[in-house]
Amino acid sequence: MQIRYIFHSGFLAETAQSYYLFDYYKGALPALDTDKPIVVLCSHNHADHYNSEIFPMLREDGMKDVRAVLAKDILKKRYPPDVEVLCVCANEVYELPYGARLETLRSTDCGVAYLLTTDEGVLFHAGDLNDWTWESESDSYNCQIRGSYRHEIDKLKGRPIDAAFLPLDPRQAKHYADGLLYFLSKADAKAVYPMHYWKQPETIQRFLQAYPQYQGVVQYTEDVR
C-alpha cells in the first residue's frame, strides 16, 4: 500500500486494486491510474474536510469509477451528481467494493472517524475525533470531551493498524498533543501521520523533540503550499 499526504487532513492510499481518498479539502493530486476505482471518504461537513469539487476534478482527470462515502451530517444537497454515495453513521460496519470493510467511530466534534480494512492493510482516519481540550473552555467541558475521546480510542485496543492519521493541532497550545499521545499509548499502529496542523509542519518536529520515543512511528509530513 502506498500513502500520500495531500493537504491538511487529506490523504490518498493506493492498493493494487483501488484508491482511497480521505477528507480532501484542497491540494494537488498525483497522477492516477484511471482504470482503478477511487473511493472518496469524508468524515464530516466542515469545509476543511469536505469539498465537493473533488468529484468533478476526478472526472476531469479521467477517473471512470468514482464512489463516495459521506458522513451523515453532510447534507444531501451537497452530494455529487452521478456518483454512488454511501451515507454512514457512527458505530456501524459497512462493506465496500473489493473486499474492503469500513467501521466508524463517533467524533468528538462532527461526523465520524474511519477504520478501513483492505487486503493490503488497515487504515485509521480520525477526522475531527480528537481530545479537543482548550484552555479557554471550562474544566467540565474539557473533562467531557477527553472522556468521550478516550472512550472511542479504547475501541481500537488490540486492533493492529498499519497507518493512522490523527490531528496535531497547534491552536490547542499546551494541549496540542493530548489526543495523539493517548492514541499512541493505547493503539497498535505501525505508522502515525499527524494532520490538521494548519500549515505548521514544525508542530510535528516539536512533538518529536518532546517525545523522541515515537521517532520512527510518527511520520513527518508537510503541507502543499
Side-chain angles (χ1 to χ4, degrees):
M1 180 183 295
Q2 294 184 337
I3 294 171
R4 181 184 292 262
Y5 181 62
I6 305 300
F7 186 84
H8 195 55
S9 297
F11 289 85
L12 177 70
E14 180 183 3
T15 68
Q17 292 185 318
S18 57
Y19 294 103
Y20 301 93
L21 179 61
F22 293 90
D23 278 18
Y24 179 85
Y25 160 38
K26 63 181 180 179
L29 296 177
L32 302 175
D33 181 349
T34 57
D35 290 326
K36 279 188 181 182
I38 184 167
V39 180
V40 179
L41 301 100
C42 299
S43 64
H44 63 290
N45 63 16
H46 288 173
D48 62 323
H49 290 261
Y50 178 61
N51 182 355
S52 62
E53 289 303 309
I54 185 57
F55 299 102
M57 285 172 55
L58 291 170
R59 293 299 194 194
E60 290 172 8
D61 287 344
M63 299 302 291
K64 303 178 185 68
D65 187 347
V66 180
R67 309 181 190 207
V69 175
L70 305 181
K72 187 179 180 180
D73 66 321
I74 297 173
L75 298 176
K76 289 188 176 181
K77 66 181 182 180
R78 299 181 65 200
Y79 281 16
D82 303 320
V83 172
E84 181 180 330
V85 175
L86 174 64
C87 175
V88 300
C89 303
N91 301 316
E92 298 289 347
V93 179
Y94 302 90
E95 300 300 325
L96 299 184
Y98 303 102
R101 185 171 186 264
L102 184 68
E103 300 170 63
T104 56
L105 281 68
R106 188 176 304 280
S107 177
T108 46
D109 193 350
C110 292
V112 299
Y114 290 124
L115 185 69
L116 176 67
T117 301
T118 76
D119 60 354
E120 294 185 21
V122 178
L123 305 174
F124 174 69
H125 192 286
D128 268 357
L129 171 60
N130 189 29
D131 181 347
W132 295 114
T133 295
W134 303 95
E135 293 183 14
S136 60
E137 294 289 350
S138 66
D139 289 344
S140 60
Y141 171 88
N142 286 331
C143 183
Q144 187 272 323
I145 290 292
R146 185 176 302 113
S148 296
Y149 174 73
R150 294 184 175 187
H151 174 76
E152 294 302 309
I153 295 302
D154 286 348
K155 296 176 183 178
L156 301 176
K157 288 181 181 178
R159 303 286 302 273
I161 297 171
D162 293 282
F165 316 113
L166 292 103
L168 190 68
D169 197 319
R171 301 175 304 166
Q172 291 185 266
K174 68 180 183 181
H175 297 290
Y176 80 106
D178 289 1
L180 182 55
L181 286 170
Y182 189 79
F183 175 87
L184 288 165
S185 74
K186 298 296 180 180
D188 178 16
K190 293 179 181 178
V192 174
Y193 296 80
M195 63 183 187
H196 209 275
Y197 45 78
W198 299 103
K199 293 186 180 181
Q200 297 181 53
E202 63 272 15
T203 307
I204 304 173
Q205 294 174 322
R206 172 187 171 192
F207 177 86
L208 290 173
Q209 288 171 357
Y211 305 99
Q213 65 269 36
Y214 295 118
Q215 293 274 359
V217 175
V218 173
Q219 309 297 308
Y220 182 77
T221 56
E222 186 172 355
D223 274 313
V224 177
R225 301 306 176 112

